[in-house]
Amino acid sequence: MAPDPSFGMADDAELVVAGAGLTGMLLGVACAGAGLEVVVVDPQEPAAMLMPGFDGRTSAIAYGSRLVFDGIGLWPDIAAEAEPIREIRVADDNSPLFLHYDSRDLGGETPLGYIVENRVLRRALYERARTLPNLQLLAPHRIAAVEASATGAVTLLDDGERLRARLVAAADGKESPLRQTAAIRAIEWRYGQTGIVATVAHARPHGGIAVEHFLPAGPFAILPMTGNRSSIVWTEHADLAPRLLALPEAEFAAELRARFGGFLGEIEPVGPRWAYPLALLQAERYVARRLALVGEAAHVIHPIAGQGLNIAIRDVAALAELIVDQRRLGLDIGDDSVLERYQRWRRTDALVLAAVTDGLNRLFSNTIPPIRLARDVGLAMVHRLPPLKRLLMRHAMGTLGDRPRLARGQPL
Ligand SMILES: Cc1cc2nc3c(=O)[nH]c(=O)nc-3n(C[C@H](O)[C@H](O)[C@H](O)COP(=O)(O)OP(=O)(O)OC[C@H]3O[C@@H](n4cnc5c(N)ncnc54)[C@H](O)[C@@H]3O)c2cc1C
């Protein structure tokens, strides 16, 4: 085989990934699995990131995202701890009208998605990374600066070490130091809402049903986990959230019961409570010279539809495909043309979901009577129009549009 010109003699890696969160590790594992030399850098201790107490979040993984894990051969390591979502019920406060998505309406047994604890995803990714000799995890280390030129990118680490590569991917989260040093501006605002996250044990089985209950302060989501457990994502006014988080156990449980209703029988919160300030962010560009933004470095959306990580997974699937195809042709993976194609492929999906989630949050987080009426009529209409409902279901499942190979469950 001819030597690969995209990986020059002087390079330390082909791809440097900033951030070993779910997005960065998925990108690293996907690309290294396809043969690239990859270095992933993160300032946090890997052992701390793998502790059960690191992140209380669970993620609603759309069916299309599960296909990405299939494509890189990781789904078998996750499946036993992933709860299939069979139905989604959306209810508006005390209104009798509600929207009901049922996976059976699409024919067949395919679930709408899965609820998976973030720690399960992180563990699967780190374990796979350890088996890939061409993936190096440099942690705890911080990327201090990136110097990009026509011939390559030099990444400067906090200990003074320099890494030469063809391309740098910024998966360094919503504050993205790399986005800032590349002078990429972002549109952003805070929602004045906090996402309170906790796990609840309940007497009755959930039957794979996810419930989203729209309350005046924001959505209250009950997401089915393995066993008789559900994860809640409770959106509250930011100024009220600290008081709720500090409540004694019995009072916190009483607040939860008031919002749950009785459909799962007796409920009991288990484990710690978590709080995430909610914001929207859209980077004006997803690329700069030899730099691609992925995941929350590029876009942060309201968790109302459980789609933030799903968009990140589609970013990874698209970028990995473009890089791997370019490399197979023996071309430079950090070339401007690759980055432009990545930006074109990914921006619309992320912008549409930012607009939809922002609109839904504004529409449902208020009590003005005409708006309530309009949204209830809207929910009822969707419910009564099966073709529209099926289209919305397929959109939420991430199985529409121009999907990268991985998002169709195919290998890179
Ligand atoms: C309450 C809540 C519920 C959610 N529920 C869902 C859901 O159901 N479904 C869904 O799809 N999404 C959901 N999301 C969104 C999802 O959690 C995020 O999209 C996802 O976790 C973002 O991951 P990330 O890897 O892009 O960023 P992060 O997890 O923030 O990772 C960034 C990493 O970069 C590292 N880093 C920072 N600076 C540097 C540097 N200089 N050099 C190197 N590394 C650096 C950090 O240490 C960190 O490890 C939810 C979000 C919230 C807040």
Side-chain angles (χ1 to χ4, degrees):
M1 212 169 124
D4 175 7
S6 66
F7 185 30
M9 289 299 285
D11 286 344
D12 302 293
E14 293 172 274
L15 173 68
V16 169
V17 181
L22 296 178
T23 308
M25 283 303 277
L26 182 63
L27 181 65
V29 162
C31 290
L36 268 89
E37 296 289 332
V38 182
V39 175
V40 182
V41 184
D42 199 291
Q44 302 191 73
E45 274 285 355
M49 292 172 89
L50 288 169
M51 297 288 279
F54 180 73
D55 176 357
R57 276 176 289 184
T58 54
S59 291
I61 294 292
Y63 187 74
S65 297
R66 173 243 153 106
L67 294 178
V68 173
F69 287 107
D70 268 334
I72 57 172
L74 209 56
W75 187 248
D77 300 352
I78 298 167
E81 290 175 87
E83 182 66 31
I85 307 170
R86 302 281 170 206
E87 294 177 42
I88 301 175
R89 294 182 184 179
V90 182
D92 186 9
D93 208 351
N94 292 318
S95 162
L97 296 171
F98 73 97
L99 179 63
H100 181 202
Y101 286 171
D102 189 327
S103 57
R104 283 162 293 209
D105 290 348
L106 295 175
E109 284 301 300
T110 307
L112 298 167
Y114 302 83
I115 301 296
V116 191
E117 291 167 69
N118 284 11
R119 66 172 183 85
V120 170
L121 298 174
R122 192 170 289 110
R123 190 191 61 211
L125 287 163
Y126 275 70
E127 278 174 8
R128 174 59 56 87
R130 272 197 278 270
T131 69
L132 294 166
N134 47 333
L135 189 155
Q136 201 189 343
L137 176 60
L138 290 183
H141 276 292
R142 184 180 300 276
I143 295 185
V146 177
E147 290 159 16
S149 72
T151 52
V154 179
T155 302
L156 184 66
L157 303 187
D158 49 0
D159 62 355
E161 199 189 329
R162 288 167 173 269
L163 294 173
R164 273 194 63 87
R166 303 281 89 199
L167 178 66
V168 178
D172 50 353
K174 60 177 187 280
E175 306 300 335
S176 182
L178 265 60
R179 181 186 71 228
Q180 296 181 27
T181 52
I184 299 178
R185 287 189 306 184
I187 301 160
E188 72 181 294
W189 58 80
R190 290 187 170 265
Y191 280 114
Q193 293 169 319
T194 297
I196 300 173
V197 172
T199 301
V200 167
H202 35 80
R204 292 200 203 122
H206 46 57
I209 302 171
V211 176
E212 184 135 52
H213 196 176
F214 287 113
L215 299 173
F220 184 88
I222 306 169
L223 308 171
M225 297 168 80
T226 47
N228 276 6
R229 299 180 306 150
S230 291
S231 169
I232 63 144
V233 184
W234 170 3
T235 306
E236 249 316 329
H237 293 300
D239 47 1
L240 186 60
R243 273 186 275 156
L244 291 166
L245 287 158
L247 282 178
E249 200 65 19
E251 286 172 44
F252 185 68
E255 291 288 343
L256 283 179
R257 280 185 202 110
R259 287 161 178 83
F260 250 77
F263 75 108
L264 291 173
E266 189 49 38
I267 61 155
E268 210 56 63
V270 286
R273 305 161 199 172
W274 308 79
Y276 295 91
L278 304 182
L280 177 142
L281 182 143
Q282 273 294 326
E284 282 186 355
R285 286 179 288 129
Y286 289 2
V287 297
R289 190 179 236 187
R290 298 204 176 267
L291 179 73
L293 308 184
V294 278
E296 291 207 331
H299 40 67
V300 180
I301 61 170
H302 196 286
I304 192 164
Q307 290 291 343
L309 181 61
N310 290 299
I311 322 178
I313 291 172
R314 295 201 283 274
D315 291 349
V316 167
L319 185 61
E321 177 168 321
L322 293 168
I323 292 175
V324 166
D325 286 355
Q326 181 85 347
R327 183 179 185 267
R328 285 197 181 122
L329 297 173
L331 300 171
D332 181 355
I333 64 164
D335 191 73
D336 287 348
S337 63
V338 175
L339 295 170
E340 271 155 31
R341 265 151 59 210
Y342 167 66
Q343 171 162 280
R344 261 204 316 276
W345 203 352
R346 292 306 307 142
R347 261 186 84 85
T348 310
D349 183 25
L351 280 170
V352 166
L353 274 162
V356 167
T357 50
D358 187 69
L360 284 175
N361 186 51
R362 281 170 204 276
L363 189 61
F364 282 94
S365 304
N366 73 63
T367 48
I368 302 167
I371 294 183
R372 282 205 53 173
L373 179 66
R375 73 197 186 202
D376 287 348
V377 169
L379 282 182
M381 270 175 61
V382 173
H383 196 50
R384 285 184 180 78
L385 285 173
L388 175 62
K389 202 166 102 174
R390 281 197 292 273
L391 183 74
L392 291 175
M393 281 163 78
R394 291 214 166 86
H395 189 262
M397 288 169 76
T399 52
L400 288 178
D402 180 12
R403 287 182 291 154
R405 287 198 292 279
L406 281 178
R408 284 182 265 133
Q410 298 165 9
L412 273 172

